[in-house]
Amino acid sequence: MRRALLALLLLLPFHAAASEPLWQTLPPTPAPVSGEQRGHAKVNGISLYYATIGHGSPVVLLHGGLSNSDYWGNQVKALAPHHTVIVVDSRGHGRSTRDARPYGYDLMADDVIALLDTLHIARADVVGWSDGAILGLDLAIRHPDRVGKVFAFAANTVTSGVQDGVEKNPTFARFIARAGTEYARLSATPGDYDAFVAQITKMWESEPNWTDAQLQSIRAPVLVVDGDHDEAIKRAHTEYIAATIPGAGLLILPNTSHFAFLQDPALFNAALLHFLDDR
């Protein structure tokens, strides 16, 4: 699989020189995809927003912390001709509500399982970015019978895998500001962004904190992916994850960062389709 992915990257065209490196850009958040069937599921004491589109084997797309499912628009369009695509706003994010319970990856992963139950989906592939990638691995550890393949982009499995001071990086700081504007527009509690960030930050301070044994228990096919200029995740940690999960692949996307799916969707989608469908 690694040789095939390398060949895929070599065949893709190089980008023309730009005024700033691609990995320092933050392209606009895509608009919701036309034709999505949208709804809210009552799960685990909250209202969980989701949307579905397409036909074929199910794929769940899980976004990163502070953001929302609209960020996956470029990937939804690529996947929908081949799969039933399910996008989700994690609890408290986007259009989903939250309750008084502290945030935790296990809790948010259980929300995904409850949504799959609601939609009568027994098993699905999972594509995750950042917190969403952590949720994909959480599902593979704790709900192995519900998960097919896991495409884990920009994950960490211990808190020390994150770069210190990432919030001060200019690109990341722009993302945090954008996420606040989107929260105010989409959320049922538009004035609570600061409280929401504070709650999420408490989770990030202590989670995830998985052992080697937990990662070694994963039996799902996993592709560990990151951009070569990720502002948040240490490269050595990404390599550790791929080396520790049995049979996992490792793919580093060139000239991209924590936001590769926005910066170079053609490259990201080619890798995604290759992994899910062996295209």
Side-chain angles (χ1 to χ4, degrees), residues 70-202:
D70 291 352
Y71 279 75
W72 285 125
N74 296 318
Q75 287 65 53
V76 171
K77 291 176 182 177
L79 288 169
H82 315 284
H83 296 276
T84 299
V85 182
I86 305 103
V87 295
V88 186
D89 286 351
S90 293
R91 67 167 49 219
H93 295 67
R95 308 155 187 85
S96 295
T97 66
R98 65 183 185 274
D99 56 19
R101 283 177 288 180
Y103 277 99
Y105 290 110
D106 285 1
L107 177 60
M108 291 195 290
D110 288 346
D111 292 342
V112 177
I113 294 298
L115 175 62
L116 293 178
D117 289 343
T118 299
L119 298 176
H120 306 291
I121 296 173
R123 187 181 181 92
D125 294 332
V126 178
V127 178
W129 154 47
S130 196
D131 272 8
I134 296 170
L135 293 178
L137 296 176
D138 187 296
L139 290 166
I141 293 169
R142 297 175 53 249
H143 299 280
D145 58 323
R146 306 300 299 273
V147 176
K149 296 180 178 180
V150 178
F151 186 97
F153 173 71
N156 62 290
T157 60
V158 292
T159 57
S160 61
V162 178
Q163 300 277 6
D164 292 334
V166 60
E167 70 281 355
K168 299 175 184 177
N169 174 277
T171 307
F172 219 89
R174 278 186 286 156
F175 162 68
I176 294 171
R178 178 191 294 184
T181 300
E182 293 168 341
Y183 182 93
R185 176 171 55 85
L186 297 174
S187 178
T189 55
D192 288 356
Y193 185 64
D194 288 345
F196 162 66
V197 173
Q199 289 179 340
I200 287 287
T201 300
K202 286 183 180 179

